[in-house]
Amino acid sequence: MAAQFGRRLRKGAATTAVAAVAVAALSASQAPGVNDHGRQTAADATPSPEASASDGSATGNSPYYTDLPPLKSPNPSPSTGPGPGGTGATEAGIPATVLDAYKKAETTLREAKPGCNLPWQLLAAIGRVESGQARGGQVRADGTTIKPILGPQLDGNGFALIKDTDDGAYDGDSAYDSAVGPMQFIPSTWAWAGRDGNGDGKKDPNNIYDAALAAGHYLCRNNWDLSQQDDLDRAILSYNQSREYLNLVMRWLEYYRKGTHEVPDGTGTLPDNRSDDGAGASPTPTTPGSTPGTTPPGSPTPGPDRPKPGKPGKPGGGTPAPKPPTTPPGTPSTPPTTTPTPTDTVDHLEDAGTAKLTAMAGDTFGKRISTRAETEAGKAVAKVRVRFTIVGDTDTTFTGGESVATVATNSSGVAVAPALQAGEKTGAVTVRATVVGRTVPGLDYKATVTERAADTLARTDDAALTCAPGGEFATQVEVKATYNGAVADGVAATATLITSADDATANDKGPYFKDADGKTVRTLTGLKTDAKGLLELPKLYADDTTGTFLLRIATAGGATLTVELTVAAAETSSPSASASPSA
C-alpha cells in the first residue's frame, strides 16, 4: 500500500494531450451556474483586478492536483468506493482525521472571526487540490502526516524562485524553499500564519489540524467575507495566483457542498494529474534534512518531490541514445550566466511618504504604511515581497487580525501595508518592514494608539432631577457619548458632585452616591461607556441639606456635561377654599 501511495505517474506529450481533452470535456459538462442552493459559482467568472492582484500566495504558487470532481453523486453507494490502497476511482470520501480537522477549524473560525463565514468545505476543496487530502489520509491519530509532504524546490527552474527562509527547518533545504504539509504552506508564510490546531503546543505544517486552522485564518484575513463571491475569489487567489486554480477549487467546493462522507484514514483516493505534469513534480513524502538531489539510504529514488533538472522521459522507459557533442572537444566551456532576480538587486528600503500614524483604541488607522524598495543607486525595484511585522507587546494588528502581512512592490517599487487596526493597549506600536529573501536592514515605523475619547456628552432624557432631604432621586442619570458624531464606546469617564461651577473639587454636602459598602462617595472613577456609547450612573441620594447642586461628568477627550440636582422639602398643600367649617 505504501508503494502505491508513493507512486508518481509521469506522462509524455501524448498522454498530456489526451488528459487535456478529457479535462476540457469534463469542464464543459460541469459548466458553472447556480447550484442547488442558489450559490453562484466562480469557475468561469473573471476575477476582479483586486482579486487577481494578490500580494503573495500561501503556497508560493506551487503545483497542485488538477483532477476534477466526478460527475456522479458525491453520496456513497455500496457499489462505489476507493480501490485498494486508495487509488481507485475518484469519489467524495474524506479521511476521518482530515475531515475532523476541517470541521474543527470552521468551528474555531466561527468564534474567532464570525464575519468571515468560512465553510469547512472550502478547506476540503483546497486540501484536495493541494495534497489529495493529505495523500489519502496518511496521518497519525494526532493529525501529523506519516511522512512529511513536500512540494518541489522553488528554485526558479520551472517554478517560482523563492530562496530559503527557514534554514531548512521545515523543508530540509537551506538553499530554496518548498511548500510543506497537507495544505502546502511555504515556510515564509507559515512563519506568521502557522497555528496550533490540536493543542499540543506546536505549530507543525505537517499536522492537518495545525495546517487546516492556519489555512482558515489565512483565508479570513483582510476582513474578507467568504459568503460574498468577490471576497471568496480574492481569498482563493491569494492561496495560489492562478485562474485555473480558482476554477478548480470552486468546482471542488461546490461538489463538497452537495455532500460527502467519512472514510477511514489511509483509504482516501489519490489524484493522478498535476499542474506541473511534464515540467516538475507532485508533493510527496520526503525526509527533511536530506540534501536536495540526493537520496537518503532506504528512500525512494528522486523524482516525485525533488526533481532533477530536465524533463521526464516518454512513457515506455528506456535509456535515450546519447546525442553527438555539439561543441568540438577541447573547447573551453562557458559558465552559465544567471540573471539576478529583482530581490537580489534591492539595497535598502525607504519610507514612501507615510503620514503620521495615530488612532484611538479600537479604531482603524486612517493612514497606511508605504515602503519603497530601491537599488544602491536609488532606483525603484518592482515585484519584491516586503514583509510588514508588528513587533513588541501590543494587541494592534493589521485588519483581519494578523500581525504579519506580505505585500509585493508595484511598478514604482512601493509596497503598501494593509491598514492597521488599533487594539486596546495604548502607546507606541512598531511596524518593521523587511525584504523577503534578502538580508538588508529593516525599516521601522512608529504608530500611536491613544485612549478612546468623546467630544460630546448629552443626557438621554430631560426629566427633572429632584429629591426630598434624606431621600433618593427617582431618576438615574444616563448620558450618551459621541465622537465626531459617531458613537463613542468604551470611553473612560468620571462623575463628581462638585462644589460649584467654578470649583470642580468634590462637595462635602448635598447629593451623593453609595459605594459597595453603603458608604457615601461623591466622586466615581473607572466608568466606561457601553457599546452604544451610553453610561448610566448609580442611584443618587440626598442628605438633609437643601438647595441646588451640580454633578459633572467628564470623559477622555475633553467632553464634559454638568447636570443640575435639586434637593427641596415637599410643598404642603393649603386647605381648600371650598371646604365648609365644621359645625
Side-chain angles (χ1 to χ4, degrees):
M1 181 179 293
Q4 292 177 0
F5 270 97
R7 181 168 58 91
R8 167 80 163 104
L9 297 179
R10 293 188 174 272
K11 300 174 178 62
T15 307
T16 302
V18 173
V21 173
V23 168
L26 187 52
S27 297
S29 68
Q30 294 180 328
V34 179
N35 70 2
D36 296 339
H37 303 286
R39 298 186 184 90
Q40 179 69 36
T41 68
D44 289 327
T46 302
S48 64
E50 295 82 3
S52 300
S54 176
D55 58 4
S57 71
T59 67
N61 298 325
S62 293
Y64 51 90
Y65 288 112
T66 58
D67 294 45
L68 287 165
L71 295 175
K72 65 182 181 181
S73 167
N75 296 314
S77 66
S79 61
T80 62
T87 57
T90 305
E91 47 84 41
I94 300 177
T97 299
V98 177
L99 181 60
D100 184 56
Y102 296 150
K103 291 184 175 180
K104 284 187 175 177
E106 179 196 56
T107 300
T108 300
L109 267 298
R110 191 182 301 130
E111 297 178 1
K113 297 181 179 179
C116 176
N117 296 306
L118 171 80
W120 67 260
Q121 291 92 340
L122 176 59
L123 298 177
I126 291 176
R128 169 74 190 197
V129 169
E130 291 296 343
S131 69
Q133 310 297 19
R135 296 193 62 77
Q138 293 289 304
V139 296
R140 299 187 178 92
D142 68 350
T144 304
T145 57
I146 293 174
K147 292 183 179 180
I149 299 176
L150 297 181
Q153 263 188 342
L154 299 176
D155 59 2
N157 182 22
F159 307 108
L161 174 59
I162 302 180
K163 294 184 178 180
D164 176 67
T165 60
D166 65 333
D167 292 328
Y170 295 119
D171 54 18
D173 187 345
S174 59
Y176 301 97
D177 274 348
S178 295
V180 182
M183 303 304 279
Q184 289 289 279
F185 279 97
I186 54 174
S188 59
T189 302
W190 184 261
W192 61 266
R195 293 292 191 278
D196 177 15
N198 64 349
D200 64 356
K202 298 183 294 183
K203 299 176 183 179
D204 181 1
N206 275 300
N207 182 282
I208 186 57
Y209 287 101
D210 295 359
L213 184 58
H217 275 280
Y218 185 90
L219 295 164
C220 284
R221 70 198 195 287
N222 299 329
N223 283 332
W224 284 329
D225 178 358
L226 303 185
S227 66
Q228 302 298 315
Q229 191 64 57
D230 285 348
D231 281 357
L232 180 59
D233 289 354
R234 293 183 179 94
I236 296 172
L237 283 168
S238 78
Y239 215 88
N240 189 307
Q241 297 172 320
S242 163
R243 169 67 184 276
E244 290 75 17
Y245 184 89
L246 168 64
N247 295 348
L248 185 61
V249 170
M250 279 302 304
R251 293 190 188 282
W252 278 107
L253 170 59
E254 295 303 323
Y255 186 76
Y256 284 133
R257 275 173 167 164
K258 293 176 182 177
T260 187
H261 58 282
E262 177 184 299
V263 299
D265 290 344
T267 66
T269 60
L270 185 63
D272 288 331
N273 303 293
R274 295 284 299 179
S275 62
D276 59 329
D277 279 346
S282 66
T284 55
T286 67
T287 303
S290 61
T291 303
T294 65
T295 305
S299 299
T301 56
D305 63 295
R306 301 287 194 187
K308 292 184 177 180
K311 297 182 179 180
K314 294 182 179 180
T319 302
K323 294 182 179 180
T326 57
T327 304
T331 302
S333 61
T334 303
T337 58
T338 58
T339 302
T341 66
T343 301
D344 293 332
T345 67
V346 176
D347 176 74
H348 59 275
L349 294 175
E350 289 286 345
D351 176 42
T354 302
K356 185 177 180 181
L357 299 167
T358 303
M360 286 195 303
D363 286 354
T364 301
F365 282 73
K367 305 296 182 181
R368 296 164 69 178
I369 296 171
S370 296
T371 299
R372 176 180 161 100
E374 297 183 352
T375 65
E376 186 176 4
K379 184 179 178 181
V381 185
K383 299 181 180 180
V384 171
R385 295 194 302 156
V386 176
R387 178 178 297 137
F388 297 95
T389 306
I390 301 172
V391 298
D393 182 19
T394 179
D395 55 355
T396 291
T397 64
F398 293 111
T399 51
E402 308 296 347
S403 60
V404 180
T406 303
V407 182
T409 56
N410 60 20
S411 58
S412 300
V414 175
V416 180
L420 287 166
Q421 178 69 42
E424 295 302 320
K425 292 183 179 179
T426 59
V429 176
T430 299
V431 180
R432 182 165 300 151
T434 55
V435 179
V436 176
R438 178 77 170 161
T439 304
V440 297
L443 188 60
D444 284 356
Y445 293 85
K446 298 296 182 183
T448 303
V449 179
T450 61
E451 64 180 328
R452 294 172 182 256
D455 56 16
T456 304
L457 282 175
R459 284 189 64 193
T460 57
D461 62 49
D462 56 1
L465 298 168
T466 60
C467 179
E472 66 178 53
F473 287 81
T475 301
Q476 289 179 242
V477 177
E478 183 183 65
V479 297
K480 182 173 183 177
T482 57
Y483 186 83
N484 290 335
V487 167
D489 60 315
V491 178
T494 59
T496 306
L497 292 149
I498 60 176
T499 301
S500 68
D502 299 323
D503 185 354
T505 59
N507 208 336
D508 59 359
K509 57 186 176 182
Y512 60 91
F513 300 105
K514 290 182 180 180
D515 64 12
D517 298 323
K519 295 180 180 179
T520 299
V521 291
R522 291 190 168 89
T523 298
L524 296 177
T525 60
L527 304 174
K528 277 193 176 182
T529 59
D530 65 13
K532 297 180 179 179
L534 300 176
L535 173 63
E536 184 180 65
L537 299 182
K539 280 189 176 182
L540 278 163
Y541 302 86
D543 61 13
D544 293 333
T545 309
T546 59
T548 300
F549 302 90
L550 299 177
L551 167 66
R552 180 164 293 170
I553 306 165
T555 69
T560 60
L561 177 67
T562 302
V563 180
E564 221 175 64
L565 308 172
T566 302
V567 180
E571 294 183 2
T572 57
S573 58
S574 58
S576 173
S578 62
S580 59
S582 57

